[in-house]
Amino acid sequence: MRLAGKAALVTGGGTGIGRAISLAFAREGADVAVNYSRSEAQAQETAEEIRGMGRRATLVRADVSNSTQVDMMITEVADRFGRLDILVNNAGITVFVDLANLEAITEGDWDRIFNVNVKGLFLCTRAASRIMQDGGVVINISSVAAFGRGSSIPYCASKAAVNTLTRSLAIALAPRIRVVGIAPGFIDTRWTAQWGPQQKERSAAATPLKRVGQPEDIARLAVYLAADGDFVTGRTFVVDGGRTL
Ligand code: NAP
């Protein structure tokens, strides 16, 4: 087991990509704190699966865009596990607005998306870095939307900001803590549930590896970066089956 004895915190860890990462870490021997803000039942279910593997799991409710709640979350994790080795900044939100429809984007959309995806990532990383073990790892979940095409303009801009944060924080926290990013392409989660089977088929057909991504595709790279990527920092890795080549 590649993460035996380690403790991880996964924001938005009860659903989709976060859930797959939480379970993959537990399978490799890590104890996992599962953060959620609204999806308590799914977070509870994920924690129970982790416990079923013989690992420790704890549920932490916190809105990652609220610094008081973030600081309380990190204190709770430290109290429960006595250490923190891996933080996955996975929590994220968007709105689905055609890129050409500039008028449909509200100021509230900009504020909410940047508060969670950008400020929240910074707040969680700063608070976690205060208690992290030497050799700790922060994994930021970005998106290929950072290249410009995605669910909405504010979302694309927020994920480009995530990539810059990955570089800046890698410089700031080296050599004690590594900071890396994963930029998924289309991944089949509740996020993309609004897509019908035909849209998924079209996406698979346009992807060189001829399928849509699954949360486990992201989780496998997260495990590698946490366990083995010990000379890697500041970089963001695209996992999209070649779709954006
Ligand atoms: P998801 O299941 O909706 O995951 C989003 C998670 O973020 C949820 O668990 C949600 O928890 C959490 N979250 C949202 N706002 C939060 C807040 N203020 N505080 C704490 N947690 C919050 O969808 P997903 O597809 O797995 O997305 C996970 C990450 O992957 C996101 O960062 C997304 O941008 C990125 N991504 C997804 C795709 C894709 O195609 N699916 C592609 C590229 C990147 P609550 O419900 O409890 O709020």
Side-chain angles (χ1 to χ4, degrees), residues 17 141-145 182-187 218 237-240:
I17 291 170
I141 303 301
S142 175
S143 169
V144 294
I182 301 178
F186 175 94
I187 304 294
I218 307 305
F237 299 88
V238 172
V239 181
D240 71 344

Side-chain angles (χ1 to χ4, degrees), residues 4-226:
K6 308 272 189 197
L9 165 62
V10 183
T11 67
T15 70
I17 291 170
R19 170 182 160 82
I21 293 173
S22 297
L23 296 177
F25 282 179
R27 221 169 280 124
E28 291 293 341
D31 295 326
V32 185
V34 178
N35 156 259
Y36 69 97
S37 67
R38 293 155 299 182
S39 303
E40 183 171 7
Q42 290 95 324
Q44 186 74 52
E45 207 179 291
T46 304
E48 266 155 33
E49 251 189 83
I50 292 166
R51 291 186 195 114
M53 295 179 211
R55 308 276 90 79
R56 288 186 297 173
T58 190
L59 282 189
V60 221
R61 177 173 210 156
D63 174 349
V64 296
S65 67
N66 178 310
S67 62
T68 308
Q69 292 183 31
V70 167
D71 289 349
M72 281 166 60
M73 168 170 75
I74 297 298
T75 303
E76 261 181 77
V77 173
D79 288 350
R80 181 71 213 279
F81 294 150
R83 61 185 294 141
L84 181 62
D85 302 275
I86 308 160
L87 166 69
V88 182
N89 285 309
N90 165 77
I93 57 168
T94 191
V95 288
F96 291 87
V97 176
D98 189 81
L99 294 199
N101 195 358
L102 301 189
E103 302 301 334
I105 294 289
T106 66
E107 272 191 73
D109 294 332
W110 277 103
D111 292 345
R112 275 189 301 279
I113 291 172
F114 267 68
N115 276 340
V116 174
N117 297 6
V118 182
K119 187 184 78 175
L121 181 147
F122 174 79
L123 293 176
C124 290
T125 305
R126 181 174 64 181
S129 71
R130 296 183 188 127
I131 65 155
M132 249 188 185
Q133 310 303 125
D134 287 358
V137 187
V138 177
I139 300 176
N140 295 328
I141 303 301
S142 175
S143 169
V144 294
F147 303 142
R149 193 185 292 278
S151 49
S152 62
I153 285 180
Y155 178 73
C156 295
S158 77
K159 291 300 188 177
V162 166
N163 293 352
T164 302
L165 272 168
T166 296
R167 297 171 76 105
S168 302
L169 290 167
I171 295 164
L173 297 175
R176 204 168 68 78
I177 294 169
R178 295 186 294 114
V179 184
V180 291
I182 301 178
F186 175 94
I187 304 294
D188 206 2
T189 66
R190 71 179 183 181
W191 192 287
T192 47
Q194 56 174 311
W195 286 26
Q198 282 175 346
Q199 205 169 349
K200 286 183 190 171
E201 274 166 33
R202 272 201 302 277
S203 173
T207 300
L209 294 183
K210 297 298 173 208
R211 65 175 176 86
V212 296
Q214 297 301 321
E216 292 71 26
D217 292 313
I218 307 305
R220 277 190 288 277
L221 181 57
V223 167
Y224 172 78
L225 289 170

